[in-house]
Amino acid sequence: MFIPLYGFRGVSVMVKKLFYSFLIVVFILVSCVPVFAAPVYDKDTTATEAFYVSITSPQPNESTLKKACFISGSTELKGIRVELYIFNSETGTYEPLVTSDGVSSFEIGASGIFIKEADLPRFGENKILLVAYPKPEKVAKDTKKDEPEKEELKKEQRSILTVTVLKENWKDIIKNGIDDIKQILKDMKVLK
Amino acid sequence: MFRRKWERFKAYILLALIALSVLQVGILLGGQNNSFPISYLSSFFSAPDYENDNDISSFKGTYFLPTRIIVSSSLAKLHCSIGRNSVEFSHIWDSARLMLINTLKPGIKPIDSTDYSRDKWLEYEMRSAYAFEFGTFYKMELVRWLLDMNDSSTEGPDGIQGFLLTPSNNGFTLHIADDDRIHTYTIPSDDTGVLSIDGYYALVERLDKTQGQVFYNFVKEMFPNSRIQQDIFVVRKPVQLPLYSLETTVPQSFDKPYNFDKLAEQVLGKEKDNYDPDEDIYGAAILKRLSSVYRIYSEGLMEYKYLANASETDKGSVNEAFEKALGFIQENKHLVEGADLYLSKVEEKDRGFYTFTFDYLVRSSGSIHDLPVLTDKYELPGSLVLSNAVTIRANSKRVLAGWWVVREFSPGKESDTYDIRFESLLDKAAESLEKNTSTAANQNTSLNINGAFLCYRLLPSPVRHQAIPPQWSVTGGNLRHFIPLHAAAEKGAE
């Protein structure tokens, strides 16, 4: 790199050397700072074991006539954060799923139980990604000085939940005089 | 001749004197207290307990009203509570009451009968169209009396603690829960009266579209297979609700220094001139009559006792005793404003009498209807602790004792918006549990909630006027806890 040492009239060469040396050092230091990009969850995202949170709702492969569902679960641990995402088939990625509380991420409270309701954007299959992890402060608190972080505290739990919204309008169905979703699902051969 | 005229004259004088005597006795009777022999004589002249025999019939049905009617659709995942103030409430209840009367006639048998459990009842309730919940279990003889059913049947339920109407292809299926079984009947569509299947579907659709409608869910639908009682019924949407504080006031006539004339007029009614006033060592005003005594406490308590001994053989049937209890309530209900009374318990264990307890229900608290007012920790001298608004001991002949927490109720001037999410309640209950458990062994005690609902809690207070905020009543095991509601945070604040 060409460094003009004689470009500034009236300034001593020594000062110029120091100035440019300082710039080089700053450049090197800055380039070493890691940049934390938000994790991107996409169609290749896989589920893990449920080591932080047990999910009680939705049930596996749940079907519903309403474009909404409950997401609930429990944990025995303190300081667990949960993030909710919904898969967007157009972009091929998971996007934050905002619940009726107006949040897409939250910390599980003192009871260890969370119950959230979210609107589902589309008919057919809706894939919900639940990510659970301990708060960073908890990792620091539970890790003794000079001891490597415990492996399990670094992990995040990922659970993929599928809810199918049926296209039939519940209002049309009940006008036909049937008010039993199980019977309807059997008739539609969704349930055996 | 002269003698005859004289005798006739004496007869006229005698008749006039007799008439004057009767008149004078009447005047004296009006001005006398209850000392013998006036009280003995006055019992032949005193007015009956009720103005006429039709009085009880005109209002007894109001003590067989559901504390809650839930309209549900399993397809729409919709549950709404219908308040007593709404037009739909009387419409639905009148029709359901008729269905019940027609179903409980002699000769009509249930098509099925199965053991009752809370979980099984919940399964039925989640699929029902209308669910009718009551404050307590009503024995069938009491139900028949309250519904004016003269005929009796030995078949079917022993009583009613709740019933459901579930739509079927031909009309409705009626499930009645008594104390240990669920009895099922079919109601053909032409017998449903005003409560038709089409009407039900139209109502569900209307509720689904109504702006600001409050929707509920059972815990089972939100948090299945958990240790929390699955049939707890909680608000799902909206998550923040405006609710009023409840203003409560002790009637002015209960203030010290006691104005006995005013108290007597309020409490004794037509008998207001027949009492001995006094004040006891606990500061209560006493209105004593020959056979009974009222004690009025300035904190808003009223106590009634029948002074003579009651015979155990006078216990009679539960409806005879309940009739006397209702008469007592009817005589005194003018002391209460702004709240209904509902029957919350019937006890038969005592040999000579029944015990009926009633509690207050406030019809409108803002967005939520029909919140109960739970009376807590009112202690009377003699260490009797009241945990209900009205407690009455009665047999088939009379009321033997009664205790009443007398209040006038009105909604507060302004409402606050509260966070009423069930999740928030669980977190606060857990925090409260952590604070109150002292040993390390108890720290892991898990939340074991078997009941939760919104209410107002009425506690003793030295002041005449109180404003009480709404709060949660949570029962776990045999204990009840009250957890305050917190103001709603802004949405998205987590």
Side-chain angles (χ1 to χ4, degrees), chain B residues 69-82:
Chain B
I69 296 178
I70 301 170
V71 176
S72 302
S73 168
S74 61
L75 281 182
K77 290 193 177 176
L78 174 153
H79 304 283
C80 297
S81 177
I82 305 295

Side-chain angles (χ1 to χ4, degrees), chain B residues 164-184:
Chain B
L164 312 171
L165 289 168
T166 303
S168 64
N169 288 336
N170 298 324
F172 282 107
T173 304
L174 170 66
H175 301 284
I176 299 177
D178 63 19
D179 47 1
D180 63 356
R181 292 191 74 76
I182 300 171
H183 305 265
T184 302

Side-chain angles (χ1 to χ4, degrees), chain A residues 56 59 64-66 70 72-73 78 100-103 106 109-111 114-117 170 174 178-179 184, chain B residues 73-77 200-201 208 217 221-224 228 236 421 423 426-427 430-431 434 491-492 494:
Chain A
T56 48
Q59 304 283 301
T64 177
L65 285 167
K66 283 213 101 170
F70 282 109
S72 64
K78 301 272 184 212
S100 58
D101 293 1
V103 300
F106 52 90
S111 63
F114 67 93
I115 305 170
K116 302 291 179 192
E117 194 190 12
W170 64 267
I174 64 172
I178 306 168
D179 198 38
I184 292 161
Chain B
S73 168
S74 61
L75 281 182
K77 290 193 177 176
Y200 157 66
Y201 289 137
D208 190 52
N217 271 106
E221 295 165 316
M222 300 190 298
F223 196 61
I228 297 168
R236 165 171 63 89
R421 291 174 300 161
E423 186 186 10
L426 295 176
D427 289 339
E431 286 163 6
E434 277 177 19
K491 249 191 171 183
E494 280 194 68

Side-chain angles (χ1 to χ4, degrees), chain B residues 201-273:
Chain B
Y201 289 137
L203 176 60
V204 165
E205 200 162 348
R206 189 166 76 247
L207 290 170
D208 190 52
K209 283 184 188 157
T210 301
Q211 193 80 323
Q213 178 64 45
V214 178
F215 295 99
Y216 293 75
N217 271 106
F218 294 98
V219 164
K220 187 181 173 82
E221 295 165 316
M222 300 190 298
F223 196 61
N225 305 317
S226 70
R227 58 182 180 270
I228 297 168
Q229 185 62 41
Q230 300 279 277
D231 63 0
I232 293 174
F233 193 60
V234 292
V235 175
R236 165 171 63 89
K237 191 160 67 172
V239 297
Q240 301 172 356
L241 277 181
L243 295 171
Y244 290 101
S245 290
L246 187 65
E247 306 277 338
T248 78
T249 312
V250 176
Q252 202 161 21
S253 55
F254 284 37
D255 278 350
K256 283 183 175 178
Y258 295 117
N259 182 329
F260 283 91
D261 288 337
K262 213 170 165 187
L263 265 180
E265 194 177 329
Q266 287 263 286
V267 173
L268 300 178
K270 292 187 290 292
E271 309 286 317
K272 64 182 175 15
D273 295 321

Side-chain angles (χ1 to χ4, degrees), chain A residues 91-107:
Chain A
T91 61
T93 59
Y94 284 90
E95 296 166 351
L97 176 63
V98 179
T99 66
S100 58
D101 293 1
V103 300
S104 59
S105 68
F106 52 90
E107 181 178 341

